[in-house]
Amino acid sequence: MTFDRQLSLYHPMVTLRPAMPDDWGALYAVACDPAIWAVHPAHDRWQEPVFRSFFDAALASGGALVAIDPATGAIIGSSRFDYDRTEPGEIEIGWTFLACSHWGSRTNHAMKALMVGHALASHDRVVFMIGETNIRSRTAVERIGAVLTGRTMTADLSTGPVVHVIYAIDRAGFAVGPLAALLAAGSAR
């Protein structure tokens, strides 16, 4: 079975579509806010050359999606599907960021519901690799039902090597977790 990493996904709270080179300006307008990256291991990602590298890698990955606010049509962040650091039967969802204006809303949960629901149709597990000290992101994936595994890996970021912990959601966990209900509620519009 082939997995489509470049598709559009819709929910009343957020639309996801494939990232394109022309998205650079709108996406950087969001990403240049230092507050987004303040507790992230790559805390310098708001700087244009650092974000340019992040953006180019996202496009090259073949799985980058931009997040759009359906109410305004504005790009508010991005995420991506990736295989580079996964084991058989897995896909990573990560590299996610959102405009501060959407923090505290259910936008991130809706994004993850769309992406995880799509990914688990053809994968055993979805993994999230998060900087060990990135408490904000760790808390966010725990709230969507991801479970900490015993696996770690080290990633070379613009700020140097960073230990990442790995969380996972499998089909059974998704079915009983908060994302399945959110996905179902969004589909029943």
Side-chain angles (χ1 to χ4, degrees):
M1 173 188 290
T2 346
F3 179 69
D4 186 359
R5 295 187 295 154
Q6 289 284 269
L7 76 163
S8 294
L9 299 166
Y10 305 95
H11 189 279
M13 290 183 231
V14 67
T15 297
L16 299 172
R17 68 150 171 84
M20 300 177 290
D22 289 348
D23 293 325
W24 162 257
L27 203 53
Y28 183 63
V30 174
C32 69
D33 180 352
I36 292 173
W37 312 104
V39 298
H40 192 279
H43 52 80
D44 61 349
R45 199 170 278 161
W46 62 272
Q47 297 172 13
E48 187 171 349
V50 178
F51 188 75
R52 173 56 80 178
S53 177
F54 174 85
F55 180 78
D56 291 346
L59 291 179
S61 78
L65 303 172
V66 292
I68 300 169
D69 182 333
T72 65
I75 289 178
I76 56 170
S78 72
S79 191
R80 78 185 197 212
F81 294 110
D82 206 303
Y83 287 110
D84 286 346
R85 305 178 300 177
T86 60
E87 294 182 356
E90 296 179 341
I91 189 164
E92 178 187 2
I93 293 176
W95 310 87
T96 305
F97 73 93
L98 279 172
C100 292
S101 60
H102 286 74
W103 289 5
S105 71
R106 305 264 304 171
T107 304
N108 184 48
H109 289 180
M111 287 173 63
K112 295 304 190 299
L114 290 168
M115 294 178 76
V116 173
H118 176 62
L120 288 176
S122 56
H123 295 82
D124 299 328
R125 267 173 318 289
V126 170
V127 294
F128 304 89
M129 299 177 190
I130 301 172
E132 187 174 42
T133 62
N134 187 346
I135 302 305
R136 179 185 297 146
S137 292
R138 290 182 68 169
T139 300
V141 297
E142 289 169 1
R143 285 184 180 151
I144 63 168
V147 176
L148 184 63
T149 70
R151 293 165 41 200
T152 62
M153 56 95 45
T154 300
D156 289 320
L157 302 179
S158 56
T159 54
V162 174
V163 174
H164 283 64
V165 293
I166 300 172
Y167 286 81
I169 296 177
D170 61 16
R171 289 185 188 113
F174 178 76
V176 298
L179 294 183
L182 183 60
L183 185 60
S187 300
R189 40 180 166 150

